[in-house]
Amino acid sequence: MKWTARRIQHLKGKQPFATVTVTDAVSARLADEAGIPLLLVGDSLGMTVLGLDSTVEVTMEHMLHHTRACARGTQHALLVADLPFLSYQISEEEALRNAGRFLQEAGADAVKLEGGEQRAPLIRRMVENGIPVLGHIGLTPQSVKTLGYRVQGKDEGAAEQLHKDAEALQAAGCFGLVIEACPANLAREITLNLDIPVIGIGAGSECDAQILVFHDLLGLSPEPRPKFVKVYAELGETVRSALQEYANEVAERQYPASEHLYDS
Ligand code: KIV
């Protein structure tokens, strides 16, 4: 059965669940086959697959292109697309149109956008117009040039603000929210305080769900990786040594062997 935003919302308070970023039809198909209920076409693809320095350089065209590919690989999961930098900040009209393109043209089921209570009116308008929205608070990578990649919510005032942000996003109609890089006890309090699922990344084990970047958890991104990343498979190493073996076998005329030849 296909996952919907409503079904994801109902996972609150039940079993903790995993979510993951995807970038193309292959990663989406593998994650979907693994039974992961929510796949995020994260704008981190700017770094993981496009070789850019930050998500600030990622465009609508990049995100639409990759979302279409992911949609082709997804059968059951809810496919959420990240709204890229400046696609939702300029005006509500532009934001609504851009968000709608992901549903109408690219096969996404929902969008994600970064920011706290200042985004609430925009999110309300999107939700009222039929666009499910996943919020994203804490460390917001699109603000790297002003905030840096720093753990958020460490002092009392900042923690209070994160509580307000989370409540405002829930009230605006988000079906869930991502909280990135904040102390575990704060993420736990926010999770307990909300009725929608809180998806943590670098936010401890007591959120309703976790998200990791596909290329990080499979050892495909370059080191150093953030402290919260667990590498579940060293695929980078596996791929590198397979390619070296292939190159050596070609150089030594061991490949192709007789079983790889067509009969005359
Ligand atoms: O783009 C991304 O990968 C994300 C996750 C870190 C949540 O937004």
Side-chain angles (χ1 to χ4, degrees):
M1 194 177 17
K2 174 80 182 165
W3 283 93
T4 61
R6 188 180 285 267
R7 275 186 76 205
I8 295 284
Q9 201 168 332
H10 285 142
L11 292 175
K12 175 81 184 181
K14 303 200 173 94
Q15 183 76 14
F17 59 100
T19 70
V20 70
T21 69
V22 289
T23 55
D24 53 27
V26 176
S27 56
R29 178 175 52 77
L30 293 171
D32 196 70
E33 286 170 358
I36 295 187
L38 183 156
L39 308 183
L40 171 68
V41 190
D43 57 359
S44 56
L45 66 79
M47 287 96 90
T48 57
V49 300
L50 299 179
L52 301 173
D53 286 334
S54 77
T55 59
V56 172
E57 296 159 72
V58 175
T59 64
M60 277 294 292
E61 285 62 39
H62 292 144
M63 291 306 299
L64 287 167
H65 176 76
H66 284 272
T67 303
R68 283 185 194 108
C70 292
R72 288 179 212 117
T74 305
Q75 272 193 52
H76 302 293
L78 184 85
L79 189 66
V80 183
D82 247 342
L83 291 180
F85 182 61
L86 287 195
S87 68
Y88 56 95
Q89 292 93 335
I90 291 167
S91 71
E92 281 193 12
E93 281 61 37
E94 206 174 316
L96 200 59
R97 187 170 305 282
N98 283 330
R101 290 188 70 191
F102 283 94
L103 273 60
Q104 212 168 30
E105 300 173 29
D109 301 305
V111 297
K112 173 166 87 58
L113 58 86
E114 296 182 5
E117 57 182 346
Q118 82 276 26
R119 302 279 180 240
L122 170 62
I123 291 171
R124 187 166 295 114
R125 188 148 171 213
M126 286 183 177
V127 175
E128 280 170 2
N129 283 288
I131 302 173
V133 179
L134 182 65
H136 183 157
I137 59 171
L139 192 162
T140 46
Q142 291 175 12
S143 306
V144 61
K145 306 230 186 252
T146 49
L147 300 179
Y149 291 119
R150 271 201 303 275
V151 177
Q152 300 293 303
K154 283 182 96 165
D155 62 59
E156 215 177 299
E160 189 50 40
Q161 185 58 50
L162 274 184
H163 272 290
K164 282 193 191 149
D165 289 338
E167 281 165 18
L169 295 195
Q170 171 171 283
C174 282
F175 70 88
L177 65 85
V178 170
I179 185 160
E180 179 164 355
C182 83
N185 58 343
L186 175 59
R188 177 176 170 275
E189 285 170 12
I190 290 174
T191 302
L192 288 174
N193 195 34
L194 294 192
D195 300 324
I196 55 173
V198 174
I199 304 174
I201 174 162
S205 63
E206 298 197 54
C207 298
D208 299 296
Q210 298 290 325
I211 187 158
L212 280 176
V213 170
F214 185 90
H215 290 70
D216 287 342
L217 84 96
L218 295 174
L220 291 166
S221 55
E223 293 188 71
R225 303 185 184 102
K227 181 180 179 192
F228 58 78
V229 169
K230 176 169 176 184
V231 177
Y232 283 83
E234 288 286 3
L235 292 195
E237 224 10 80
T238 306
V239 170
R240 195 177 302 112
S241 72
L243 292 171
Q244 277 162 357
E245 190 180 340
Y246 163 59
N248 291 342
E249 288 197 358
V250 170
E252 288 164 22
R253 293 202 192 281
Q254 287 174 1
Y255 175 83
S258 54
E259 68 267 30
H260 305 119
L261 306 183
Y262 291 112
D263 293 332
S264 50

